Amino acid sequence: MVEPGPSYNRYGGVMHMLAALDLATGKIYYRIRTRKRWREFLGLLKALRTRWPREKLYVVLDNFSPHEHTEVRTWAADNDVEWSSCRPTAPG
């Protein structure tokens, strides 16, 4: 096995996981994608809305910039999704 170093290349690409945790059941709902843009995040939100069509969705977010995209925020406001931000900070 090759240990990653400062010049390590991922020739096969990188995969990204977007996920949501259902606090009532402990189940994780996720999507694996080759990109992590606002479109992929919105796709996850739409999938969650399909799974829970009549319930209000509460979403806790970090500082990932696609969370702030206008189309994501507009869709969320129109589809009964409430945001809460959890901005990580470095210790010290």
Side-chain angles (χ1 to χ4, degrees):
M1 182 171 154
V2 175
E3 291 293 323
S7 62
Y8 176 71
N9 291 310
R10 291 181 174 92
Y11 296 108
V14 176
M15 301 300 289
H16 304 280
M17 182 173 75
L18 300 168
L21 172 65
D22 180 354
L23 294 176
T25 64
K27 289 185 178 180
I28 295 176
Y29 298 89
Y30 64 93
R31 290 180 156 205
I32 304 294
R33 299 289 182 258
T34 56
R35 298 184 73 175
K36 58 176 190 175
R37 302 168 301 174
W38 68 269
R39 289 176 180 89
E40 287 76 21
F41 178 60
L42 183 57
L44 175 66
L45 290 178
K46 288 180 177 181
L48 296 174
R49 173 49 65 219
T50 299
R51 180 140 179 97
W52 293 282
R54 290 177 286 286
E55 296 180 42
K56 184 168 194 155
L57 297 179
Y58 296 92
V59 182
V60 180
L61 304 169
D62 61 7
N63 61 350
F64 182 43
S65 65
H67 298 158
E68 307 293 331
H69 194 279
T70 303
E71 290 194 40
V72 171
R73 292 293 180 153
T74 301
W75 185 90
D78 293 342
N79 287 277
D80 205 18
V81 177
E82 185 174 316
W83 300 116
S84 178
S85 294
C86 177
R87 307 274 180 185
T89 57

